[in-house]
Amino acid sequence: MRLGVIADDMTGATDVALMLTKSGMRVVQTIGAPGPDWAAPAADAVVIALKSRTIDPADAVSQSLAACRALTAGGASQILFKYCSTFDSTAKGNIGPVADALADALNAPLALVCPAFPEAGRTIFQGHLFVGADPLDESPMKDHPLTPMRDSSLVRLMAAQTQRKVGLIPFATVAKGADAVSAACAALIAEGCRYAVADAVTNDNLLTLGAAAAAHRLVTGGSGIALGLPANFPDTSARGDVRRFEAPSGRAAVLAGSCSTATRAQVAAAQAAGAPNRAIDVGALARGDLTAADLADWALSQSSHAAPLIYSTADPASVADAQKALGVGRAGELVEQTIADTAALLIEGGVRRLIVAGGETSGAVIQRLGVRALEIGPEIAPGVPWTKVIDGPPIAVALKSGNFGGPDFFARALVMLDARS
Ligand code: ADP
């Protein structure tokens, strides 16, 4: 392993893992803070997915330090601390406290702070973070329920979370290239700064920053900053390649527990295309008239060439009815657990390629299957790769957050694997 990444949430981890994969690295994502039995997987980059964005800062620090120790012990010479491209945090953290702890652990004299992700409209100019045309504090992020962002100055936002001095590398310097950025870093260190907020408006700027950070032990930022890091490890860039990704062969199935607009369109498209499909009746589940075993038996009795679709996906009125009858929490949990149990039975029955729609639903399935590590494969839709379980059952799995992907997502994902096998 050359590069270690600590991501503060699961979707962010997959996002940065995909970015590194597309830049030519072989990437493995592991789930949760490493315990004593954690062994570094064979990969150019390892991304550890934590859920530390809004937990108590002390817990975030200890989980991140455990991840850092595991990654450096596994051979990582550089650590990227990945947070959200809208710098989701509060004055208490957790970006500042985690970055401080990592910088100390790694003896890093200075770390870049760069959440820019121009492709998603997140740019930084004079240290101010923009979401599209709006400064961060005028974007919808100002009203986020957990991390409302009420300032756009990353220098001030970072300074509020750390005792250490925060400086700026302005656009005019970044535009001059990597040597100018390196000189600016040295000047900031001489001034006593430990963090350098770096402007970036384009992907070229991110490549410049990546090149300038070649010798940095710690880099912090969004998934955009990962764009320029693989080039610092030329021996990996040449050989890591998603073309090497091989999905296990075997039958496929689709489990949809999301009720988002995009997933509803995907379920409708699969039905229109003639895929065998079965709805989960939440009332029948609650009465015990329908079980995961019934659903799995139905799916396994379909032609092994078809990818059966089992879905709880429903319109808002049906969801509201189920929630009224059972309570929001109970309805969600019942559906999630049923889908997770169904997934386990399908795998026992020989399914080797699984698509799961829904963020929470995916979490429940991953937990039920005991998955601890994933190899990142080719991109199906922006932000959603095929993955292969490398610590857990021998399957390929695509975990799709509800609103991701176009209407043909399921078919597209399956065809993509067929074309490779
Ligand atoms: P998304 O990524 O779209 O937010 P999630 O899986 O994260 O999807 O969340 C969907 C939630 O809705 C889950 O807790 C799921 O169990 C629940 N759910 C799914 N279908 C139904 C339904 N028909 N009635 C009630 N709750 C449902």
Side-chain angles (χ1 to χ4, degrees):
M1 188 205 321
R2 313 299 301 278
L3 178 65
V5 184
I6 302 166
D8 68 355
D9 85 337
M10 176 83 179
T11 347
T14 312
D15 190 6
V16 69
L18 191 57
M19 178 71 81
L20 293 168
T21 305
K22 287 200 284 185
S23 305
M25 284 185 137
R26 182 159 176 254
V27 183
V28 169
Q29 177 177 335
T30 71
I31 293 136
D37 60 339
W38 193 90
D44 301 324
V46 175
V47 179
I48 296 184
L50 300 179
K51 196 176 180 309
S52 56
R53 186 168 292 171
T54 53
I55 62 175
D56 180 64
D59 287 345
V61 164
S62 73
Q63 289 186 24
S64 303
L65 283 176
C68 181
R69 278 192 296 270
L71 291 167
T72 50
S77 56
Q78 184 173 64
I79 297 292
L80 168 61
F81 169 35
K82 152 75 175 76
Y83 40 77
C84 188
S85 62
T86 44
F87 208 74
D88 297 11
S89 54
T90 67
K92 283 198 195 140
N94 289 338
I95 296 174
V98 169
D100 285 352
L102 294 176
D104 286 347
L106 294 164
N107 277 324
L110 183 90
L112 294 180
V113 174
C114 185
F117 193 8
E119 257 175 59
R122 274 69 155 155
T123 55
I124 306 172
F125 184 69
Q126 295 298 351
H128 288 266
L129 181 57
F130 289 82
V131 178
D134 298 321
L136 180 63
D137 57 333
E138 292 175 28
S139 77
M141 280 308 297
K142 71 182 189 305
D143 300 318
H144 191 281
L146 302 177
T147 52
M149 302 309 289
R150 300 279 160 77
D151 193 354
S152 66
S153 162
L154 289 165
V155 173
R156 281 194 299 259
L157 286 166
M158 187 65 180
Q161 300 182 33
T162 174
Q163 301 291 314
R164 301 169 189 188
K165 199 167 160 189
V166 185
L168 172 69
I169 303 178
F171 181 76
T173 303
V174 178
K176 285 188 191 140
D179 289 346
V181 172
S182 297
C185 287
L188 288 176
I189 292 172
E191 282 172 31
C193 290
R194 299 289 299 274
Y195 295 109
V197 171
D199 280 359
V201 176
T202 63
N203 281 351
D204 277 350
N205 300 148
L206 291 170
L207 294 174
T208 297
L209 293 172
H216 291 199
R217 294 275 287 155
L218 175 67
V219 178
T220 86
S223 56
I225 195 70
L227 201 64
L229 300 178
N232 296 330
F233 305 101
D235 52 331
T236 62
S237 316
R239 63 182 167 80
D241 193 327
V242 293
R243 276 174 292 184
R244 291 158 27 130
F245 182 88
E246 279 173 31
S249 51
R251 49 198 303 181
V254 183
L255 299 172
S258 161
C259 299
S260 68
T261 313
T263 302
R264 282 161 58 202
Q266 286 153 359
V267 168
Q271 289 169 326
N277 62 91
R278 178 149 178 191
I280 298 176
D281 176 337
V282 185
L285 276 187
R287 291 190 302 274
D289 293 342
L290 177 68
T291 64
D294 299 333
L295 294 165
D297 287 348
W298 169 81
L300 294 169
S301 69
Q302 304 302 309
S303 153
S304 61
H305 299 295
L309 161 67
I310 294 173
Y311 63 97
S312 66
T313 310
D315 58 36
S318 315
V319 174
D321 283 348
Q323 290 177 334
K324 210 165 133 196
L326 299 170
V328 176
R330 169 90 184 110
E333 204 176 308
L334 188 61
V335 173
E336 282 172 34
Q337 287 316 313
T338 303
I339 291 181
D341 290 345
T342 306
L345 292 168
L346 289 178
I347 287 159
E348 263 178 50
V351 167
R352 291 292 173 266
R353 297 168 174 197
L354 193 63
I355 299 174
V356 186
E360 293 301 318
T361 309
S362 294
V365 169
I366 288 296
Q367 197 171 27
R368 177 70 178 79
L369 298 180
V371 172
R372 300 207 304 175
L374 298 169
E375 176 183 336
I376 303 295
E379 185 171 36
I380 307 162
V384 195
W386 266 111
T387 68
K388 186 161 71 172
V389 173
I390 47 179
D391 188 354
I395 58 165
V397 58
L399 305 171
K400 188 191 80 77
S401 168
N403 256 325
F404 281 24
D408 64 344
F409 179 88
F410 301 149
R412 189 188 159 90
L414 294 167
V415 165
M416 200 166 165
L417 285 196
D418 286 342
R420 305 170 73 90
S421 26

